Amino acid sequence: MINITTKLLSATVDGIAEAGRLLGEGKTVIIPTETVYGLAANALDADAVAKIFAAKGRPQDNPLIVHVASLAQAESLVSGTLPENARLLAASFWPGPLTMILPRSSLVPASTAGGLDTVAIRMPAHPVALAVIEAAGVPLAAPSANRSGSPSPTTATHCVDDMSGRVSAVLDGGDCSVGVESTVVTLCTGPPRLLRPGAVTLEQLAAVLGAVEVDKGVTEHLDDSVRVSSPGMKYKHYSPTAQVILLAGDSERYCDYCNNSLAEGDCAVCFDEELSRLAVTAIGYGNSNDHDAQAARLFSLLRELDSKGYSRAFVHAPATDGVGLAVYNRLIRAAGFDLRRL
Ligand code: TXA
Ligand code: MG
């Protein structure tokens, strides 16, 4: 059992220096990023990386994202020269919520990459995250700082709730502005392929790269016999204890369904403009056309379902354009792929 004293650090010059010092000693520190909080350790130190897997209860074959503060640092992690596609994406979206999968150099321990010969790299936009990477002086492996299976943390309080006693420190950088994890695109297969949608949208990637394929696992359930491109996609994710049911249909059908079918202990998770038309317990998660707001609220909302003790949540499915694809992708997993068309 892990039982470490967890320090609480603030995002001051001293707090950032302390985080850098702990990381330099091979310890784990939870850091803010613009997407979600990350559970960081020195990506180049297999012993430090082992502490991440232990703290999260993460399967060893699920690789970690390595966070860098400069393009030169990214290049050192990649075998051979950086492909042209990667340069173009970096110029357009870094620093920011985009992770690229590239061939792994020998500098990166196999355990960081879950045993794969590729490595996931991202340059985060959060100034505190960049400052911590610089203070540590090494690239930082950092998965989302939740316990494996639960919703990703978007506030320092979520991190303390999940990880107190399991990491050396939590650095509080306030609420994460994006709210869903980065877009993951692989450049290691033929045409570039989207493995996980995020705030850098499919449309934006296609504008830079031309054609981009979408992995089947983005919207569909992959059974165990299918070889997944991104190991993280096969694990149950983002699930609150409450049963989540995703309902697809127009506003009128959704409101009628909820008003007629919800029982004691149920909750409607609707678009804000639908709140006034629902006669049952309801929580809004942003306007139907405001995918950024939906993304920013999503994970707090999933945690709130449990803290309020609901047994079932009937969520109105978002449209899948733009950032909506990322919101839909997280919700369909939270729902264990229980999507009902009205
Ligand atoms: O926004 C984010 O990406 C956050 C913050 C902390 O940066 N991090 C994050 O990490 O979401 P994590 O570990 O929760 O999700 C990483 C995903 C997993 O689905 C993993 O399987 C996939 O990226 N991944 C990592 N390395 C990979 C690789 N070499 N090939 C394919 N998929 C990879
Ligand atoms: Mg995660």
Side-chain angles (χ1 to χ4, degrees):
M1 213 193 88
I2 309 173
N3 191 5
I4 312 174
T5 306
T6 303
K7 287 186 190 171
L8 273 181
L9 304 174
S10 50
T12 56
V13 172
D14 288 350
I16 290 166
E18 174 71 356
R21 193 184 62 75
L22 291 167
L23 289 161
E25 286 173 3
K27 299 200 167 120
T28 50
V29 178
I30 294 180
I31 61 168
T33 85
E34 74 279 22
T35 57
V36 301
Y37 275 80
L39 200 174
N42 180 352
L44 308 183
D45 174 350
D47 293 335
V49 163
K51 293 178 188 163
I52 297 179
F53 285 96
K56 276 193 63 115
R58 182 179 178 104
Q60 301 284 339
D61 68 346
N62 193 359
L64 307 174
I65 295 175
V66 182
H67 297 70
V68 297
S70 69
L71 201 59
Q73 210 168 33
E75 284 177 301
S76 72
L77 308 173
V78 175
S79 103
T81 51
L82 208 59
E84 183 58 18
N85 275 345
R87 284 189 193 285
L88 290 172
L89 289 177
S92 299
F93 304 114
W94 277 3
L98 177 70
T99 297
M100 297 182 222
I101 311 292
L102 290 159
R104 170 170 68 92
S105 79
S106 56
L107 200 61
V108 184
S111 57
T112 301
L116 300 174
D117 55 10
T118 55
V119 59
I121 310 177
R122 164 163 121 83
M123 190 191 294
H126 199 298
V128 175
L130 289 171
V132 173
I133 300 167
E134 269 160 18
V138 286
L140 299 177
S144 52
N146 51 296
R147 294 286 278 271
S148 252
S150 37
S152 295
T154 54
T155 70
T157 307
H158 295 162
C159 299
V160 171
D161 289 349
D162 275 19
M163 288 293 169
S164 194
R166 307 179 73 84
V167 294
S168 292
V170 175
L171 178 55
D172 186 349
D175 295 358
C176 300
S177 58
V178 173
V180 291
E181 307 87 343
S182 61
T183 305
V184 179
V185 65
T186 179
L187 301 175
C188 289
T189 50
R193 193 147 42 95
L194 179 70
L195 300 182
R196 181 176 72 181
V200 171
T201 64
L202 179 61
E203 294 85 343
Q204 286 176 304
L205 292 176
V208 173
L209 298 174
V212 179
E213 292 181 350
V214 178
D215 201 90
K216 234 179 137 196
V218 167
T219 52
E220 284 172 46
H221 180 61
L222 303 177
D223 71 57
D224 295 342
S225 61
V226 180
R227 195 184 152 272
V228 291
S229 329
S230 188
M233 289 198 302
K234 73 186 178 196
Y235 298 108
K236 190 164 157 64
H237 254 109
Y238 315 117
S239 17
T241 308
Q243 181 189 355
V244 176
I245 299 121
L246 201 52
L247 299 176
D250 66 21
S251 213
E252 197 179 324
R253 284 183 190 212
Y254 173 79
C255 292
D256 282 352
Y257 180 91
C258 290
N259 285 333
N260 293 318
S261 311
L262 267 57
E264 183 82 36
D266 290 344
C267 176
V269 176
C270 62
F271 301 124
D272 287 352
E273 71 266 24
E274 293 167 335
L275 281 167
S276 61
R277 291 162 50 202
L278 287 166
V280 294
T281 306
I283 307 176
Y285 78 108
N287 278 313
S288 56
N289 57 6
D290 190 350
H291 295 312
D292 291 342
Q294 294 161 14
R297 278 154 82 169
L298 187 65
F299 288 138
S300 282
L301 180 121
L302 292 178
R303 285 175 184 252
E304 192 182 328
L305 295 176
D306 285 344
S307 64
K308 297 222 168 113
Y310 296 118
S311 46
R312 297 188 300 176
F314 292 83
V315 185
H316 198 172
T320 55
D321 60 311
V323 179
L325 185 62
V327 177
Y328 179 88
N329 167 273
R330 305 316 188 270
L331 279 170
I332 191 97
R333 284 172 166 69
F337 292 87
D338 185 356
L339 171 74
R340 304 181 192 172
R341 294 185 198 280
L342 299 174

